Each structure stands twice: as structure tokens, then as C-alpha cells.
Amino acid sequence: MALPLLLVPVILKGAAIAAGAVGVGAGAVGAKKSYDATKDIKAINAMHQKNLDRFDRDSAQTQTTMDQLGKLELEVIQSFETFSNLMEQIQNAPEFAAYNKHDIDLPAYNPEELKKVYAMAGTLLSGLGGAALGTAGGFAAAGATTAIVTAIGTASTGTAISTLSGVALTNATLAFLGGGALAAGGGGMVAGAAALSAATLGAGVLVGGVVFAFASKSLSNKAEEASQQMQAAQKEIDDICVYFNRLDIAAASYKAVMERVQAMYQKHLTTLEYQVNSAKRMDWNEFTDAEKMLLENTVLLVSLLYKMCQIPVLLAPEKEGSPAIINSVDLNTSEENARVLLRSIENS
């Protein structure tokens, strides 16, 4: 979102008049100062553009990572449909209670809650085709599961969100999050808006306020003022790029751990599909210990993924105009819980 620079036109005229008024030597000195100031301003403009290019690059990288995480979360939730269908075929299955071990709390298996979220996740995914950069990241910002559960309500138009589909559903959900109780983890997400756009993070205000205004001062003073404003802009851009990098690292780390959990879940799901659909092993009372362990671990992985998709990457900013708070504590805890459970399942 590189902003156009307000370039200062340099008009060197009247050199002969100046020379005649104050002497040829003074005129030459004045011309040289004007020339040097022009060079300075061009260099300053070039530096400012370089800073803006860096801002754009880091912003795009972060939005891409957040998009990947948001899409992954929606894909994970959508995949629960297969698991849910298998569970409906299994007879005499016990109630799978909440998991409370190793200081880890996971919700009890709730088939009705699962149906609500996976049906909507698939529709939301279909609405992301061709969406603007950062749109999918909106679901990661709020936590995809949380976003879906919260948005099962009414869009701002008064139309029930559940009756919408595709892009309309995606936009309505983001709009609902932006105006609802969640504040979409960072505030200000409106219909179809990219969760990590410069405006959302307040960066647009920071950079947009840097304008080279040189109205009534001498050219050399303009160069000095331009330098001061460029340095102020550079500091703001430095700060927001540090923020982008921290957010990018946090989102990439969370995505990597979730992909590990997803891979194990898919492996268990494939085996469970074979057990139910091919081997026709559908009665819990006839399951072997290994088959029971397979189902129990698959339920546990579903609960883990469901919980991971609840964690918002961003929290509402402390004050208006500030960047959203990166939810590092909850993200790190969720990652560690996932690693512990993966090791436990691998050793079971």
C-alpha cells in the first residue's frame, strides 16, 4: 500500500537577476545551495520510498502467513465432518469426557457443536476464493472456531448468517466479528476487510501522516525539514515492521504445530475409516483394545484441534489506534499442550 510521496518541485529561475543584485559570486553560491538542497530532497524521497517498500514487503509477508493459518484452521474444522459421519456409524460408543491430564484441559466430545462449526467452515472456505490478501487471516486473528460459533447469529443486514453462502457469508462473518463482542482480535474488521491490513493495525495512520510539507520556507530549510520528517517516518515504519515480524513468527510457529497435529489426526482418521467402512468394525463392544485406543485417540485429536482453532492470534488493542496485541501467552501454551499430547499419543 505504498503511499505517493509529495515531491517538491525545484524551480531554479532568475539566476541572472540574483547575480546582478548581489554579485556573481553570491549568485553562484546560492545556485550551489539550491542544487545541493535539491539533491538532498531527492535522496530523502528515495530513502522514504525505500522504507515504504520495506513496510509493504513485511506487511504482505505477515498477511500471507496469517492467511495460511486461517485457511488451515477452516480446513481442519471442515474435516471434522468425516469424523462425525464415522462416529454416527459406531454403535455402543461410550461418552467421551473432557480431558484433564498434564495440566491440559480439553472439552468433552460434543457431536452437535461439531456439526455446527464444520458445516459453516466449508461454506466460509468457498467464499475465500479470490479474496483479498489478509481476508482468511481474519479467522486466524479471532480463532476460527470462536469466529464461527460467535457468528452463528445475524448479519448486520438483518439476514441470518446461516442463510448466506460464499463471499457473502465470509463478508458477513467478518463484519459481525468487527462489530460484535469479540472485536475480532485486533479491532475494526469490517465486511470483507483484510484482518491485517495497514488500516487495521493503525500503520496507515502512522505512515499516512508523514507528508513533506514545504510551503513557505527556503529550499535548504525544506531539505532539513524533509530529513526530520523522513527520520520520524522511518522510526514509525521500523516499529510496525518489528510488529509484523513478531506476528509473522507467532503465526508461522502456531501453523507448524497445528500441521503436526493435523497430520497425526489424518493418519488416525484414515485408519478409522478403514476400520468402519472396509472392515465393518462398528460395534464398540466388539472392538479390540487397539481399536478402542484408535477411537479414543482420534476423539482426543479432534478435541485438541478444536481447542487450537479457538485461540485468537490477536487480542483487542489497549487503546484505539494501537496495533492489536499478539496473543503470545495463549499461543505458546496451546503449542506446548499439543506437543505433550502428541508425545502421549505416540507412546500409547
Side-chain angles (χ1 to χ4, degrees):
M1 61 142 255
L3 302 175
L5 298 177
L6 182 59
L7 300 176
V8 180
V10 179
I11 304 174
L12 298 176
K13 64 178 181 178
I17 298 174
V22 296
V24 175
V29 170
K32 185 178 186 307
K33 285 184 178 180
S34 294
Y35 176 74
D36 290 343
T38 301
K39 286 177 60 179
D40 288 345
I41 290 174
K42 286 182 178 179
I44 290 164
N45 284 335
M47 177 60 72
H48 188 54
Q49 185 61 57
K50 184 178 179 180
N51 289 333
L52 289 174
D53 290 342
R54 176 165 56 90
F55 169 86
D56 287 342
R57 184 176 62 252
D58 288 358
S59 172
Q61 171 61 44
T62 305
Q63 291 185 75
T64 298
T65 302
M66 285 292 287
D67 274 352
Q68 291 170 348
L69 177 57
K71 187 178 179 184
L72 173 63
E73 291 188 4
L74 290 174
E75 288 172 346
V76 164
I77 296 169
Q78 183 187 33
S79 74
F80 292 159
E81 180 175 7
T82 302
F83 171 75
S84 180
N85 291 338
L86 290 171
M87 286 295 289
E88 288 180 355
Q89 297 179 64
I90 296 175
Q91 303 163 21
N92 301 312
E95 294 289 330
F96 292 97
Y99 180 92
N100 305 106
K101 295 180 182 178
H102 311 293
D103 295 324
I104 300 170
D105 295 321
L106 294 177
Y109 172 63
N110 186 328
E112 294 306 314
E113 194 68 26
L114 215 59
K115 283 183 181 179
K116 286 181 186 178
V117 295
Y118 73 61
M120 193 167 183
T123 311
L124 287 168
L125 275 170
S126 69
L128 291 175
L133 183 66
T135 303
F139 296 101
T145 306
T146 303
I148 290 172
V149 171
T150 303
I152 296 175
T154 304
S156 58
T157 59
T159 304
I161 285 181
S162 60
T163 67
L164 301 175
S165 62
V167 177
L169 176 62
T170 302
N171 289 350
T173 303
L174 289 173
F176 182 87
L177 291 172
L182 269 185
M189 273 201 292
V190 294
L196 294 178
S197 68
T200 301
L201 296 177
V205 175
L206 295 177
V207 179
V210 179
V211 178
F212 292 94
F214 304 115
S216 61
K217 298 184 180 179
S218 68
L219 199 56
S220 58
N221 286 342
K222 290 174 187 176
E224 182 179 350
E225 183 178 342
S227 177
Q228 292 172 350
Q229 294 196 39
M230 184 278 292
Q231 290 172 13
Q234 181 170 313
K235 184 182 184 308
E236 301 289 5
I237 292 172
D238 286 344
D239 290 345
I240 202 66
C241 283
V242 167
Y243 175 89
F244 279 143
N245 292 335
R246 286 179 53 231
L247 179 54
D248 184 62
I249 291 170
S253 177
Y254 201 64
K255 174 175 170 284
V257 174
M258 186 176 290
E259 285 173 335
R260 285 183 56 198
V261 179
Q262 182 195 35
M264 181 174 282
Y265 162 65
Q266 287 296 338
K267 183 178 178 180
H268 278 65
L269 191 63
T270 299
T271 305
L272 187 63
E273 279 186 290
Y274 175 82
Q275 178 181 312
V276 173
N277 294 331
S278 298
K280 302 301 180 183
R281 302 281 293 168
M282 303 179 187
D283 192 335
W284 172 268
N285 294 330
E286 297 177 1
F287 281 6
T288 65
D289 288 343
E291 288 170 341
K292 288 181 178 179
M293 180 65 71
L294 171 68
L295 182 57
E296 288 172 351
N297 284 340
T298 306
V299 171
L300 184 57
L301 288 166
V302 168
S303 296
L304 175 59
L305 286 167
Y306 187 97
K307 182 73 174 287
M308 291 186 76
C309 291
Q310 281 183 320
I311 306 297
V313 176
L314 297 175
L315 301 174
E318 293 179 348
K319 59 182 180 179
E320 187 176 352
S322 298
I325 299 170
I326 301 172
N327 191 16
S328 301
V329 173
D330 288 342
L331 292 173
N332 292 338
T333 299
S334 182
E335 287 181 29
E336 183 55 31
N337 289 347
R339 294 187 189 98
V340 170
L341 282 173
L342 287 177
R343 287 195 295 268
S344 176
I345 292 172
E346 286 169 350
N347 296 329
S348 62

